[in-house]
């Protein structure tokens, strides 16, 4: 019985919610009498997937790997910078204003600058923007997790002869994991936003963003909405990958 209950909550309820959302969307378009060049309905979107199946497979993969690459870089460098700020008060006071100021700048204004700086290097540009837009929450979460570490635990291990490396692995790292995975869930969606922005703006754009821009140019609204749904689906998949990693690495902090 517990297994069936868990399956119901984790699989069937989200699927049911998506189905209800699609039905309400279809009903709203039908009730308002909107043509598909004003608001596409779910029944308009499926033919777009069938018509452009090859393009969706190719561009979805391009968007996904660039997003994952940018997110991976954000995890590496964000964790490193967060550790520096978490362990050093001077570094924290010096770097925080810079990080906050950079994060306050709308990334939509940075995308065309990067696209012009590295014309032709579309893969690099896209990965860079995905990295830049998802770096901040990871660095801040790691910094907060380490800076709020209880000094009693650290002092006890130090008194027992533990090295700083041991203290980090035994106390600091587990303490930081809940904050880290919380920030990573946010960073996943931000990375997709950065990737999509660059794919739309870049003159050599590829990926789902470029496919969306193509639909906009040709006034193909079903294609545009199909791209949005595809981006949402990729974001959901990557989000649940993070949840699986969280349960594997920090399951003790996960509450049902």
């Amino acid at each position: 019985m517990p297994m069936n209950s868990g399956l119901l909550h984790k699989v069937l309820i989200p699927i049911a919610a998506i189905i209800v959302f699609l039905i309400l969307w279809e009903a709203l378009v039908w009730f308002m009498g909107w043509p598909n060049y004003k608001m596409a309905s779910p029944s308009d979107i499926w033919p777009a997937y069938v018509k452009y199946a090859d393009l969706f497979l190719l561009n979805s993969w391009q968007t996904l790997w660039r997003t994952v690459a940018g997110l991976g870089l954000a995890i590496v460098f964000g964790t490193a910078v967060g550790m520096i700020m978490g362990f050093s008060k001077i570094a924290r006071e010096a770097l925080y204003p810079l990080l906050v100021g950079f994060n306050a700048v709308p990334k939509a204004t940075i995308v065309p600058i990067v696209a012009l700086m590295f014309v032709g290097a579309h893969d690099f540009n896209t990965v860079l923007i995905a990295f830049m837009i998802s770096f901040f929450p990871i660095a801040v979460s790691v910094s907060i997790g380490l800076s709020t570490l209880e000094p009693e635990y650290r002092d006890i291990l130090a008194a027992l002869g533990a090295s700083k490396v041991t203290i980090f692995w035994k106390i600091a790292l587990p303490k930081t994991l809940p904050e880290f995975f919380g920030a990573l869930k946010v960073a996943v969606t931000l990375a997709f936003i950065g990737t999509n922005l660059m794919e739309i703006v870049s003159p050599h754009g590829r990926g789902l963003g470029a496919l969306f821009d193509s639909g906009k140019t040709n006034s193909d609204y079903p294609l545009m909405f199909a791209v949005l749904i595809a981006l949402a689906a990729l974001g959901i998949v990557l989000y649940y990958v993070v949840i699986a990693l969280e349960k594997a690495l920090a399951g003790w902090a996960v509450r049902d």
Side-chain angles (χ1 to χ4, degrees):
M1 187 68 177
M3 291 182 61
N4 293 336
S5 178
L7 178 64
L8 177 66
H9 284 282
K10 294 178 181 179
V11 179
L12 298 183
I13 290 181
I15 291 177
I18 293 174
I19 293 174
V20 170
F21 170 75
L22 294 176
I23 292 174
L24 291 176
W25 181 2
E26 184 78 28
L28 176 64
V29 175
W30 175 81
F31 179 78
M32 299 299 295
W34 287 328
N36 62 7
Y37 59 81
K38 185 174 183 179
M39 170 64 79
S41 65
S43 59
D44 296 321
I45 292 174
W46 179 250
Y49 284 127
V50 175
K51 182 178 180 180
Y52 302 106
D54 293 339
L55 288 177
F56 269 102
L57 289 175
L58 176 62
N59 288 285
S60 294
W61 165 247
Q62 291 178 342
T63 295
L64 181 61
W65 82 257
R66 296 190 193 102
T67 302
V68 172
L71 185 63
L73 290 175
I75 292 173
V76 173
F77 288 98
T79 302
V81 173
M83 289 174 60
I84 293 173
M85 293 191 299
F87 285 125
S88 172
K89 183 177 180 180
I90 296 176
R92 185 164 61 250
E93 293 176 349
L95 293 176
Y96 250 120
L98 296 175
L99 291 177
V100 172
F102 175 77
N103 192 62
V105 176
K107 300 305 179 289
T109 62
I110 299 177
V111 169
I113 296 175
V114 173
L116 292 174
M117 287 177 63
F118 306 102
V119 175
H122 177 64
D123 289 341
F124 174 80
N125 292 344
T126 310
V127 172
L128 178 61
I129 290 298
F131 159 75
M132 292 169 65
I133 201 171
S134 57
F135 168 84
F136 179 79
I138 295 175
V140 171
S141 69
V142 173
S143 171
I144 292 175
L146 294 178
S147 62
T148 57
L149 179 65
E150 292 82 354
E152 295 83 4
Y153 297 125
R154 181 184 60 211
D155 294 340
I156 291 174
L157 286 177
L160 294 174
S163 64
K164 290 185 178 181
V165 175
T166 302
I167 294 174
F168 172 77
W169 283 106
K170 296 294 184 180
I171 299 295
L173 183 61
K175 173 67 171 62
T176 308
L177 283 178
E179 290 86 356
F180 170 78
F181 279 107
L184 190 56
K185 293 173 186 176
V186 177
V188 164
T189 57
L190 293 178
F192 270 107
I193 293 173
T195 303
N196 196 39
L197 283 174
M198 179 56 73
E199 289 174 347
I200 292 174
V201 171
S202 176
H204 303 283
R206 297 184 300 275
L208 289 176
L211 192 59
F212 178 88
D213 193 53
S214 175
K216 182 184 70 174
T217 302
N218 296 291
S219 298
D220 192 339
Y221 282 75
L223 175 59
M224 294 168 62
F225 277 90
V227 170
L228 296 179
I229 296 298
L231 283 169
L234 289 179
I236 291 172
V237 169
L238 208 54
Y239 178 84
Y240 277 100
V241 169
V242 173
I243 289 181
L245 290 174
E246 181 183 24
K247 289 184 177 181
L249 300 177
W252 52 270
V254 177
R255 297 180 181 177
D256 293 332

